[in-house]
Amino acid sequence: MVSAPPQTGEIVHFDNVGLRYGSSDPEVLSDLGFSLYAGSFYFLTGASGAGKTSLLKLLYLSQRPTRGLVRLFGIDGVTLPRERLPGLRRRIGVVFQDCRLVPHLSAFDNVALPLRVAGVPESEVARPVADMLEWVGLAGRMQALPATLSGGEQQRVAIARAVIGRPELLVADEPTGNVDPEMAVKLLRLFEALNRLGTTVVVATHDVHLLHQVQDSLIMRLDRGRLADPTGALRYPPRRPGVGAP
Amino acid sequence: MNGFSPAREAAGAPGPAAPPPGRWRRSGRDMLPPGRLSGPMPWMIAIMVGLTVLAAGSGLALRHIAVAAGGALGHGVSVQILEPRADLRQQQAAAVLAALKAEPGVLAARQVPEAELDALIAPWLGGENDPALLPSPALIDVTLDGPASASRLAALRAAAAGHAPQLEVDTQASWLAPVFGAIASLQWLAAGLVVLLGAALCAAVLLAVRTGLGNHRATLEIVHLLGGTDRQIARVFQRSIALDAALGGAVGLAGGAGALWLVGTRFGVLGAGLVSDGALAWPDWLALAGVPVAGVLLAMATARLTVLAALKKML
């Protein structure tokens, strides 16, 4: 029997959420209701077109739902004035499916971007960025522009940019889509390392092999815009870090 | 926000040598690629600032002319004695002159000599006017210690009327009223041109910023999603447009001021009273130097408001 998730440590709460892109279009997400808990690691799976990217957009505040309640870090993300969105977004790291690197900035400057946007002093930027780029295997490509990087290298820069600010919530959309299996596992280890430090990780992926790479990960499955199992959408009941599964 | 360093977290091992402090720094000036707004923008601003300096300079010169002419003529009163018989006219003129000099507030009064009058009307009547055929009035030029108001004019008329039954008393400024009107119109025209050029500058900046926003929408979305604020993005555009405006403003000021100086020296050699009164003084040049500064501030404000208004449409 699946026990009720603990109510403390909840950082994401969806209640009866629906999303449609045009007023006459069908809903791409319907009746979503779930919670994500601090320190957990989630995989989001589903067929192409199931709505994974749309759900992630709601998570990283690129989109507001058409209906329902979305609460992030205890804050209502639906009615939050847009002037307060940046503060919330700085707590979220995002790996976009298409990388979305800033084309005129070097790998170093792309990774440094979240820190600089947050106003981190320049003296405190260089070292973590260099470490991060070394960790993703790009120590020798720090000054390379995105156009000169391979797809896999771009993906790694995008991941480095997403995690450099040590976000409370990391949202990754097919983060290993362009890298070889060895690098995919290595990147997952990076996500795990971040997860161990308390970051909640949500990774959308098609790759079923990845699902078994992370111990104690939780799986959310989307099917045509709905959670396949609304009562127990997660394979395991969500749990807080340090609290064992029932 | 502290930077997350996996190597440091894992083992505390030092990472690779960090590159020198990033080009980006806190200002975020590299958020958009170089040349993002420039193009012809500095030249457009240079032309507008140059034209504004010309219009403002012309307005200031006209103001000087109006003030100088008003000051000189505003205290002056002309008294014409219209007696056709020359001997009687001279007697009346002498009596009126004496009466006027006795009036309070009269600083000076003199009868304009006939030769001077003849010289004044010679261009219209020819140099050989026969006073018997077309007698000229006797003209008395009065300078008061203050403006020639209606009450003072009436007092002078009353003082003179007892000595010459046919006379006319006029302020000298009233003769030039149409000229003053024309000068005032030209001043308004110059002011209108300054306002229009300011509006054109705003429109040019607005279009450039909107184009820049459109061209870099993807980058701006990323910055937004990374937690960048509208004000941070607006500052990037403000800084860029400020540089363009400063460059264009300097060129425009040099061109406009140079043209004004050249025209001023050309008119200066004429030595004509009213025209030479219009020469610009150093406070005027100082005011004109403020035109590009105002242009930069206007351009920055326009850029900021345009960016903030446009970003409001994005989440």
Side-chain angles (χ1 to χ4, degrees), chain A residues 82 90 104 117 127 131 164, chain B residues 4-5 30 227 230 232 311:
Chain A
R82 62 181 299 285
R90 288 177 191 178
H104 68 276
V117 161
R127 175 63 63 186
D131 286 352
I164 188 71
Chain B
F4 172 52
S5 174
D30 288 345
D230 291 355
Q232 281 177 314
L311 292 180

Side-chain angles (χ1 to χ4, degrees), chain A residues 25-112:
Chain A
D25 294 337
E27 280 193 330
V28 292
L29 295 173
S30 298
D31 305 329
L32 295 185
F34 63 88
S35 296
L36 304 181
Y37 292 88
S40 300
F41 196 117
Y42 299 88
F43 281 110
L44 177 61
T45 66
S48 288
K52 297 191 295 295
T53 298
S54 294
L55 174 53
L56 295 187
K57 281 182 177 176
L58 294 178
L59 281 175
Y60 60 74
L61 297 167
S62 166
Q63 200 81 39
R64 297 215 208 230
T66 317
R67 63 183 171 88
L69 172 72
V70 173
R71 209 164 52 225
L72 294 164
F73 311 110
I75 299 166
D76 183 354
V78 180
T79 57
L80 187 72
R82 62 181 299 285
E83 300 80 48
R84 290 184 56 198
L85 286 175
L88 214 51
R89 283 172 173 152
R90 288 177 191 178
R91 301 167 72 177
I92 304 168
V94 188
V95 182
F96 301 100
Q97 192 170 15
D98 51 357
C99 296
R100 294 212 208 171
L101 299 180
V102 180
H104 68 276
L105 294 183
S106 67
F108 181 91
D109 287 328
N110 262 289
V111 176

